Amino acid sequence: YHFPSIFLMYLTANGSDSKKLRVEDSMDSPPSRVIHIRKLPNEVSETEVIALGLPFGKVTNILMLKGKNQAFLELGTEEAAVTMVTYYTAVTPQVRNVPVFIQYSNHKELKTDSALNQRAQAVLQAVSAVQEGGSPSSAAGESVLTPAPSPVLRIIIDNMFYPVTLDVLQQIFSKFGTVMKIITFTKNNQFQALLQFSDPVNAQQAKLSLDGQNIYNSCCTLRIDFSKLVNLNVKYNNDKSRDYTRPELPSGDGQPPVDPSVAATLSKDSTSLLGAISPLSAAAAAAAAAGRVALSGHSGPGGVLLVSNLNEEVSVYGDVQRVKILYNKKDSALIQMSDGNQAQLAMSHLNGQKMYGKIIRVTLSKHQTVQLPREGLDDQGLTKDFTSSPLHRFKKPGSKNFQNIFPPSATLHLSNIPENVTEEDLRLLFSNSGGTVKAFKFFQDRKMALLQTSTVEEAIQALIDLHNYDMGRGHRLRVSFSKSTI
């Protein structure tokens, strides 16, 4: 962040007494439980500012300087404030999709005039009541927070450029209370979910804190409202729905079963591994630990990977833009992905996998882009530009392809299968690539299928050989890794 060196700010109380608040660069200021927030959008509410600090602990005071687009937020402990500043150093805080700046204040506590700060104090009291499990009260002649109408939240994910799973939602929302049930579905081409807490107060607190926040940098925005339902009826425990109070539920036809011990573990508040950090950070950390989506902010916008024993299977995890084979080390190459998140995703899934009998190594490169050779310079064909390739799977924002990204596995998902192609045809095709087909299963419409090989290495090789294979009549076979087994 870029902060001004020093500036002065004057506050007037009761129209006469002035207090000087001197705010310095947070790099020089020692930690304080008072946080200074700058560059807030116009007409921002007290509730939205409090929501920035709420995931880190109790918020004990707030001072809004709306004319200056600034605010001061006091947390209950210095430790909570340190956690908040540390987190927002790595992930840019946003209010109404506008980046804001956060730093320590020089003040160890926030002293405000309650008469002039009446509405802010009313909001703070209401939020505190929710945090402590009480009933929010109204003040200043208006209702600040009405009682939660339901323990069930309806969640819509906007700008879903990267996958959001049921487990990621559980990690985010369990920070605010016990998550009992989740149902996910797609409606109007948008990923949505219904999530039930054990108590409406927890739903109120989660909505207050998370509505409008991004799960990952600049994407996957949470839009949260109360559902008209007060109880969810979950029939199956799988990747689309889960009842954490009933781990014995069946997984349903064609869905991977949920191990009861895993379900029991997930039903508890799992934030202990992540410490007192923001639930959004917890979500990203959980997703990264699961090998699904990497934490944002670790790679530049043109994420470049250094890969040994490279092959095009990396494109399963993003769109390869450019490839440069190293002149003095022909078994290694630089690969430029569309962005840093795709680079992280490819690295987390492919590093350490076995291919052609060797372990491939994938790390982030210090380079931000792969440079094309200067015009007229012969680099012996070591650099190639794939920017305009028609094979890119992830060009379309919010594409369903983002929801089907999984680590390498022995089971492959096949799609775009012509109607005249039989199981025997596909078994023969994949056997000829050098692998053993252990099992095969058509989906009901026969346009898609699952095919299981003997080993993950065989599946990787088959994907390299047969993704985009010409099946005739304009059909190009689509091959990706599946999380299912047959």
Short mmCIF file of all heavy atoms in Angstrom, two decimals, residues 8 24 63 91 95 101 199 206 307 352 358:
data_model
loop_
_atom_site.label_atom_id
_atom_site.label_comp_id
_atom_site.label_asym_id
_atom_site.label_seq_id
_atom_site.Cartn_x
_atom_site.Cartn_y
_atom_site.Cartn_z
N LEU A 8 -2.46 15.97 9.00
CA LEU A 8 -3.20 16.35 10.18
C LEU A 8 -4.69 16.35 9.88
O LEU A 8 -5.11 16.68 8.78
CB LEU A 8 -2.79 17.74 10.66
CG LEU A 8 -1.33 17.86 11.13
CD1 LEU A 8 -1.05 19.31 11.50
CD2 LEU A 8 -1.08 16.96 12.31
N GLU A 24 -0.07 8.83 11.03
CA GLU A 24 1.17 8.64 10.31
C GLU A 24 1.15 7.35 9.51
O GLU A 24 0.26 6.52 9.65
CB GLU A 24 2.35 8.61 11.30
CG GLU A 24 2.48 9.91 12.08
CD GLU A 24 3.67 9.87 13.02
OE1 GLU A 24 4.25 8.79 13.16
OE2 GLU A 24 3.99 10.91 13.61
N LEU A 63 -15.73 5.69 14.65
CA LEU A 63 -15.86 7.12 14.38
C LEU A 63 -15.85 7.32 12.88
O LEU A 63 -14.89 6.96 12.20
CB LEU A 63 -14.71 7.91 15.01
CG LEU A 63 -14.70 9.42 14.73
CD1 LEU A 63 -15.94 10.07 15.33
CD2 LEU A 63 -13.44 10.06 15.29
N VAL A 91 -4.40 -9.09 1.25
CA VAL A 91 -5.63 -9.07 0.46
C VAL A 91 -6.25 -7.68 0.56
O VAL A 91 -6.60 -7.23 1.65
CB VAL A 91 -6.63 -10.13 0.97
CG1 VAL A 91 -7.92 -10.08 0.16
CG2 VAL A 91 -6.01 -11.52 0.90
N VAL A 95 -14.85 -2.10 -0.03
CA VAL A 95 -16.18 -1.73 0.43
C VAL A 95 -16.95 -1.30 -0.81
O VAL A 95 -16.52 -0.38 -1.52
CB VAL A 95 -16.14 -0.60 1.46
CG1 VAL A 95 -17.57 -0.17 1.84
CG2 VAL A 95 -15.37 -1.02 2.71
N PHE A 101 -8.01 1.74 2.14
CA PHE A 101 -6.69 1.64 2.74
C PHE A 101 -6.82 1.56 4.26
O PHE A 101 -7.56 2.33 4.88
CB PHE A 101 -5.84 2.84 2.33
CG PHE A 101 -5.51 2.86 0.87
CD1 PHE A 101 -6.41 3.39 -0.04
CD2 PHE A 101 -4.33 2.32 0.39
CE1 PHE A 101 -6.13 3.40 -1.40
CE2 PHE A 101 -4.04 2.31 -0.96
CZ PHE A 101 -4.94 2.86 -1.86
N ASP A 199 -28.75 -21.15 14.47
CA ASP A 199 -29.43 -20.03 15.14
C ASP A 199 -29.57 -18.86 14.17
O ASP A 199 -28.60 -18.52 13.48
CB ASP A 199 -28.62 -19.61 16.38
CG ASP A 199 -29.40 -18.68 17.30
OD1 ASP A 199 -29.97 -17.69 16.80
OD2 ASP A 199 -29.44 -18.94 18.52
N ALA A 206 -23.44 -13.34 9.94
CA ALA A 206 -22.73 -13.71 8.71
C ALA A 206 -23.15 -12.80 7.56
O ALA A 206 -22.30 -12.35 6.78
CB ALA A 206 -23.03 -15.17 8.37
N VAL A 307 8.67 -25.15 -15.26
CA VAL A 307 8.27 -26.56 -15.23
C VAL A 307 9.36 -27.43 -15.82
O VAL A 307 9.91 -27.12 -16.88
CB VAL A 307 6.96 -26.78 -16.01
CG1 VAL A 307 6.47 -28.21 -15.85
CG2 VAL A 307 5.90 -25.79 -15.56
N GLY A 352 5.03 -32.61 -8.59
CA GLY A 352 5.21 -33.92 -7.96
C GLY A 352 4.49 -35.06 -8.67
O GLY A 352 4.64 -36.22 -8.27
N LYS A 358 9.02 -40.00 -14.91
CA LYS A 358 9.77 -39.03 -14.09
C LYS A 358 8.81 -38.13 -13.33
O LYS A 358 7.68 -37.90 -13.75
CB LYS A 358 10.68 -38.18 -14.98
CG LYS A 358 11.78 -38.96 -15.70
CD LYS A 358 12.64 -38.00 -16.54
CE LYS A 358 13.75 -38.75 -17.25
NZ LYS A 358 14.59 -37.84 -18.07
#
